Amino acid sequence: MTIDKKNVQKNVKNKNKNARILTGALVLCLLLSLVPTAVAADGGYIEVGSLPVPDFSGQPLRGKAPLEVKFTDLSYQGIRDNLKYTWSFGDGTTSNQIGNVTHTYTKEGNYTVSLTISNAFGNKTETKTNYIYVGSGPIADFTANNTAGKTPLAVQFTDKSGGNPTKYSWDFGDGSKSTDKNPTHTYNQTGTYTVSLTVSNEFGSDTKTEKSLVNVGVAPNVFFTANGTINSNQVAFTTHGDTTDSGTYKWDFGDGSTSSEKNPTHTYKSTGVYNVTLNVTNSYGTSTYTLRNVSITNTLKADFSAENNMGSSPLNVKFTDQTQGAGSGSTYLWNFGDGTTSADKNPSHTYNRTGTYSVALTVTNPCGATDSVIKSSYVSVGKVPVADFTGTPRTGVASLAVQFTDKSQGSNLTYSWDFGDGTTSTDANPKHTYSKEGTYTVKLTVKNTYGSNTATKDKYITVGAAPRANFQADVLSGVAPHPVQFTDLSTGKPTSWYWDFGDGSTSTDQNPRHTYQKSGYYNVTLTVKNAYGESTLLRLDDGKEVYSEDVKGTSSASGSADNTSDKTTPSSNTSAANTSKTAANTTGNNSTDKTKTSIPGFGILIAIAAVIGIVGIGVYAQRKSK
């Protein structure tokens, strides 16, 4: 048998070629099997992958009808196939608008709002109970009993206002005020008083004023003085004290003559000593005063002085007789102007009620001569003021503008404020701005003619700073289950922490440790708070950061902050976290692309297909060579 060397060599060459092709296919298979399975997934801060999650916020949440509320969609929409929205505003109206909507409430009440989102895989509903409140301002009204009478007159005021007021401010017309709902007020001075009531709640205020509502009179309290001309029988009588023009006067001059004038002049037909009586009557009562031993003979000039005749009640005043021509054995009759008298030469008298008093002295000498002197408004009795104030707000961040309101008691006051930061004011109700952090003690000193008083409120104003969120994770990538230690790096002394790990899990620890159970990519949110505010940080892939306080209210900033596709970011319990979540999901929720997910074993399938293809090519080539 003849061996064809050329065919043998050709067969050997073909076998070697096929071997090389098979070897290359095996190598390619091994390389493709090493390709990561999540080739179609996006990047994220934590690598670990999910139906719509509805969420929204409304602004404003309270107000008067008609109230226009802007609802902001904060939802994660998931897959957009067959995407549908159903808004229910709680007042019988709905909307199917996708995204943000605006709705106007026309009636008062509490309204529950819900949002239902559905797509190709199902639906979810977010409901916020009693989320919107629509109210109205109050209407002031009141009544009063016993609005006319003599001093002291106690009047009971009764609130009849509608619209559910929460605050009351009464002005009784005599300088007194009250914040009670149904106050009782006592009028101690005669006069006609206008009363007003201002009521308010969070939706507004209203005032009702009743002019000349309260009429306060006084029973007469009178006395008189007799002033005669030396060596003459003519005497001028002058009425003093609490009188009214509507009162009636009845004089008895002691010689059988009478008069109905207020200030009569009487001429006696003969010298002598007479007892003179005055009777005054008005609608509130009667007053009778008798001046004895009226005569005109020798020279007599009544006069007096006083120490400490101005001050706060009770005011003790010492009077000193300075009469000329009195001599030993003279008699004295003092009238202190408050309904009390004295026969002492140099009396002391205590005034227990505030007011201005005229004082009279009548002196009769042993010869029967009588003279009187009156000093009008000679004694002034008032009250030392009582300092008090309020400030709103009392806490906040710098620069903190505080409105101080004077609540002091007293009249004709002057003011001296010390705000505790080196600045002062003499205004009654100043507004002051604190520009630095700290705790401040505020003082108010008030003065009037009768004295001064200081109110000190220690550590009354506190100015602080809001925190700034920051954190780090020890390991950013790993195989599920993947434990991660998170460390809080926030500044500003936060007092609470809220973590959202991006996989539906949360924590309120300061430095939590969390294990991711499923493969995918997760963005992490931290919200920190203290008494002065809050801060929310959303950390994305490649260390990108979004602060809710920096992008709040700016949709373009939210959209550019995160270029990731749809990722579920469960809603936080805080509005700041919702803002960050909106920033993270803006691009994903508004995209028409479906969620990119990983395919288990995708690299191995590609490798097997490649091997089958290469082997097929090799077999075809071998057959062709034959």
Side-chain angles (χ1 to χ4, degrees), residues 45-335:
Y45 182 59
I46 301 297
E47 296 185 24
V48 185
S50 165
L51 212 163
V53 180
D55 193 15
F56 61 89
S57 65
Q59 183 65 33
L61 301 180
R62 302 175 70 85
K64 294 195 298 185
L67 178 65
E68 182 181 85
V69 180
K70 295 182 179 180
F71 292 96
T72 301
D73 179 27
L74 304 176
S75 308
Y76 163 63
Q77 296 173 341
I79 300 301
R80 290 180 61 87
D81 286 357
N82 300 322
L83 182 65
K84 294 181 181 179
Y85 272 55
T86 300
W87 295 87
S88 178
F89 302 112
D91 59 354
T93 60
T94 61
S95 173
N96 298 115
Q97 181 173 328
I98 295 177
N100 303 334
V101 297
T102 298
H103 181 67
T104 299
Y105 292 88
T106 60
K107 297 181 180 180
E108 299 180 28
N110 280 300
Y111 297 98
T112 295
V113 182
S114 65
L115 170 60
T116 300
I117 302 178
S118 63
N119 61 15
F121 294 94
N123 64 78
K124 283 190 177 181
T125 299
E126 171 69 11
T127 299
K128 297 189 178 184
T129 303
N130 295 331
Y131 191 55
I132 304 296
Y133 177 70
V134 182
S136 63
I139 299 176
D141 191 18
F142 66 91
T143 60
N145 73 334
N146 193 31
T147 57
K150 64 181 181 179
T151 60
L153 179 64
V155 182
Q156 173 67 55
F157 295 93
T158 303
D159 170 58
K160 297 291 185 180
S161 303
N164 299 317
T166 57
K167 293 183 180 179
Y168 303 85
S169 178
W170 294 87
D171 187 335
F172 301 117
D174 62 349
S176 300
K177 301 179 185 300
S178 175
T179 58
D180 293 341
K181 181 178 181 181
N182 299 303
T184 297
H185 179 63
T186 299
Y187 291 87
N188 293 306
Q189 302 288 337
T190 61
T192 300
Y193 300 97
T194 295
V195 181
S196 65
L197 167 63
T198 298
V199 293
S200 60
N201 60 19
E202 63 180 304
F203 303 108
S205 62
D206 186 49
T207 300
K208 179 181 180 180
T209 300
E210 289 283 356
K211 294 184 178 180
S212 303
L213 176 64
V214 179
N215 294 282
V216 183
V218 63
N221 178 26
V222 299
F223 61 95
F224 62 87
T225 56
N227 292 282
T229 303
I230 302 301
N231 299 322
S232 169
N233 294 334
Q234 188 179 74
V235 180
F237 295 95
T238 304
T239 302
H240 307 282
D242 295 328
T243 63
T244 61
D245 292 336
S246 60
T248 60
Y249 297 83
K250 184 177 180 181
W251 292 86
D252 182 347
F253 298 118
D255 62 352
S257 300
T258 62
S259 175
S260 60
E261 298 179 17
K262 182 178 181 180
N263 300 304
T265 297
H266 178 63
T267 300
Y268 288 89
K269 295 179 180 181
S270 59
T271 61
V273 177
Y274 302 94
N275 295 326
V276 181
T277 300
L278 169 63
N279 183 281
V280 179
T281 301
N282 65 14
S283 57
Y284 303 106
T286 300
S287 175
T288 300
Y289 183 77
T290 299
L291 183 60
R292 302 181 182 278
N293 302 321
V294 176
S295 64
I296 300 175
T297 54
N298 296 333
T299 300
L300 186 67
K301 184 63 176 178
D303 194 14
F304 66 89
S305 63
E307 297 179 2
N308 190 36
N309 61 334
M310 178 178 290
S312 60
S313 62
L315 178 66
N316 183 264
V317 183
K318 183 177 180 181
F319 295 94
T320 302
D321 170 51
Q322 295 180 337
T323 301
Q324 298 178 9
S328 177
S330 296
T331 61
Y332 300 86
L333 178 60
W334 295 83
N335 191 296

Side-chain angles (χ1 to χ4, degrees), residues 37 119 141 182 194 217 222 334 339 342 379 456 468 474 476 484 554:
T37 60
N119 61 15
D141 191 18
N182 299 303
T194 295
V222 299
W334 295 83
S342 175
V379 176
T456 300
R468 184 74 166 177
D474 61 342
L476 304 184
V484 180
T554 306

